[in-house]
Amino acid sequence: MIYLKTLRYSFFITFLLALTLSAWALPIDWNGNFGIDTTLIDNYRKIKSTTDNSGTSQGSQEIGLADGGHANASFQSYLFQLSPVLIINDSTSLFGEITTGYGRGGRFGDSSIQSQENSFGNALYLHNTTDTSNGLILTKLHMILYSDTATYIIGRHSKHWGLGAIMNNGEQLWDRHSSTRDGVTMKLKIGNFQLSPYWAKISSANSLTRATKVKEYGLSALYNNTEKDLSFGLHYNKKINDAHNQSIKTDINNTGTAYSFGRTDIKLVDLYLRKAFGPINIAFEFPLISGEIGDIYQNTKSTKYKAKAIIFESSYQVNESWKVGVNLGHVDGDSGSGSSFEAMFLNPNYQIANLMFRYNMRAVSDPDNLNIYDSYVTNARYAKLFGEFSYHKWLFSGALIYATALEAAKNGQSAYNHTNNKIFDANTDQSTDLGHEIDLGIDYQWNNEVKLGASMGYHFVGNYYAFTNSSGVTNNADNSFVGQLNAAMEF
């Protein structure tokens, strides 16, 4: 184990030294960002109960209590991203992205190694904060070849489409995820049109045999006219997992036995439109998924997958200081019928509020197995009214968000728990009210590279979260609050 860690660090040190030495002969551009935040979530369980009944039913929306019985969460996190660009010649460049931990960072105090192999030593130096378990991670590494007819991207590179609702490259400052592919992408531009066919390997299942591969191929076609402030296009891709691939498993039926997916054949068609009318901007994205998702309900029997989302964004630049807008969304959920799977999960970078949908609250009580930032907008119809006011280096923002669930449990029928991804038999009716939220934020641009910020969100919790699926356990929804301070630099 020590040898493997040493080998891993040696690789990255060699890689960085190679880039540094190359800088003497070749132009190199260092880009990246580093951010730190501290977050407080009051009543992350969103109910009034002070006891833990989360294990009563798989259908329950109740979040388990953390150690010590506290219903509040407080954590500090960091985000790190370093993106070197090495210009080989006029027609070739090498791009990389280096980060650490999961989600481009981690939490303060995680993965520290205690002294004397975790045994009690000198109490003053019990914890060694030198972290030897989280090494550097090379999340992207690809070359770009520029030719007269097209641009070719070869290697591990990011992908993005439309508003980033499904495929999101994670280029915003606080994005912790990035959609990537290992493969080849060609970008061919003809006038205002750009065609981008690609092929990628998603997973090799730790095997070199041809029958254990997950492959993806697709095409993006985009029309972009800057003179008319108009963009529209279509993205199509197909992802195939061979029937012999046993590495992806699920226990959606909650039987205690995780079945292998088997063969999957999923298609994504994603429409995108953006248009500006002077100070008014509108944008629209419509992803539609169909195909076979594999043996998720019954072993050796594939399941149909059909899901969609409708995302609409609009803004109006009133003057140099004020901007207002309305965002609307419809994101499918699954009914739990078992005849097909119908839930859509948006990219975790695509968020609509400071608290609702943004955090995986199950990770508060189980941080070793779950990540707080693995949270998605799903099973929701929402509306967001927002406004922004800028003054010199200050930006003040506010928003009002309202959301309802598209699918909820009905007594006597099967239902799907979108929190733990389990099918269950409903014993009571569940409300569709997700509640509404008020958000406020302040950002201060200290200088060109450093930004300081503060934000809060108050969630008036709907009765959807009070569902227990048990007549013997009654929960009452209770409001939740989040407050955050952050500082970040971009270079």
Side-chain angles (χ1 to χ4, degrees), residues 279-282 312-327 384-390 395-400:
I280 300 176
N281 277 274
I282 62 171
F312 173 80
E313 295 183 357
S314 67
S315 65
Y316 173 54
Q317 191 73 45
V318 181
N319 51 45
E320 292 184 356
S321 299
W322 279 99
K323 182 170 74 172
V324 296
V326 175
N327 294 344
K384 176 180 180 179
L385 175 65
F386 69 91
E388 296 179 354
F389 175 75
S390 59
L395 176 64
F396 303 87
S397 60
L400 174 63

Side-chain angles (χ1 to χ4, degrees), residues 305-308 332-335 337 339-344 407:
Y305 188 13
K306 52 181 181 179
K308 68 180 182 300
D332 276 358
D334 187 67
S335 64
S337 64
S339 58
S340 61
F341 188 73
E342 302 172 353
M344 173 74 78
E407 299 290 346

Side-chain angles (χ1 to χ4, degrees), residues 69-312:
H70 297 291
N72 301 327
S74 177
F75 55 94
Q76 295 73 41
S77 73
Y78 62 91
L79 182 147
F80 170 71
Q81 178 186 351
L82 184 62
S83 303
V85 180
L86 185 64
I87 302 174
I88 308 300
N89 53 45
D90 291 341
S91 61
T92 308
S93 296
L94 178 66
F95 290 76
E97 180 182 281
I98 303 169
T99 185
T100 180
Y102 177 81
R104 292 176 170 173
R107 300 188 316 275
F108 279 24
D110 65 349
S111 300
S112 60
I113 304 301
Q114 292 181 329
S115 62
Q116 297 186 12
E117 299 297 329
N118 296 324
S119 64
F120 183 82
N122 187 322
L124 182 61
Y125 304 106
L126 178 62
H127 290 86
N128 176 14
T129 57
T130 302
D131 184 1
T132 61
S133 62
N134 281 342
L136 293 175
I137 302 171
L138 197 61
T139 53
K140 298 177 188 175
L141 185 62
H142 59 274
M143 68 174 73
I144 297 185
L145 307 178
Y146 306 94
S147 70
D148 295 335
T149 57
T151 300
Y152 300 89
I153 306 174
I154 306 173
R156 176 166 295 181
H157 55 282
S158 60
K159 55 184 178 180
H160 191 92
W161 176 254
L163 300 174
I166 301 297
M167 292 185 299
N168 193 299
N169 55 19
E171 292 187 351
Q172 298 302 312
L173 176 59
W174 288 101
D175 286 346
R176 297 182 181 269
H177 303 271
S178 178
S179 301
T180 59
R181 64 169 67 113
D182 290 351
V184 181
T185 299
M186 180 180 74
K187 293 185 177 181
L188 176 63
K189 190 172 183 180
I190 306 173
N192 292 323
F193 286 92
Q194 178 174 290
L195 300 177
S196 301
Y198 72 90
W199 175 91
K201 178 71 65 64
I202 305 302
S203 171
S204 61
N206 296 322
S207 172
L208 299 181
T209 61
R210 190 174 181 179
T212 57
K213 312 297 183 184
V214 183
K215 302 177 288 291
E216 180 182 350
Y217 59 87
L219 171 68
S220 297
L222 179 67
Y223 173 83
N224 184 29
N225 191 323
T226 56
E227 294 181 357
K228 296 182 179 180
D229 278 334
L230 173 66
S231 298
F232 64 87
L234 181 145
H235 174 87
Y236 170 86
N237 72 41
K238 190 171 185 178
K239 186 177 296 184
I240 301 173
N241 171 35
D242 191 87
H244 294 88
N245 192 335
Q246 304 294 314
S247 62
I248 307 175
K249 299 178 182 293
T250 180
D251 184 23
I252 195 172
N253 280 331
N254 193 31
T255 62
T257 301
Y259 293 122
S260 299
F261 264 40
R263 179 176 174 82
T264 63
D265 189 342
I266 299 174
K267 296 180 288 293
L268 169 66
V269 177
D270 198 341
L271 299 173
Y272 168 67
L273 169 68
R274 188 197 66 82
K275 173 63 178 172
F277 303 92
I280 300 176
N281 277 274
I282 62 171
F284 171 86
E285 184 172 351
F286 176 38
L288 178 65
I289 296 178
S290 61
E292 304 281 341
I293 198 174
D295 310 341
I296 64 171
Y297 291 125
Q298 184 177 347
N299 197 18
T300 71
K301 183 178 181 181
S302 188
T303 302
K304 293 287 186 181
Y305 188 13
K306 52 181 181 179
K308 68 180 182 300
I310 304 172
I311 310 297
F312 173 80

Side-chain angles (χ1 to χ4, degrees), residues 4 38 87 101 116 164-165 194 232 254 267 361 365 387 404 407 420-421 468 471:
L4 292 177
T38 178
I87 302 174
Q116 297 186 12
Q194 178 174 290
F232 64 87
N254 193 31
K267 296 180 288 293
M361 299 304 183
S365 58
T404 61
E407 299 290 346
N420 59 22
N421 298 317
T468 64
S471 57

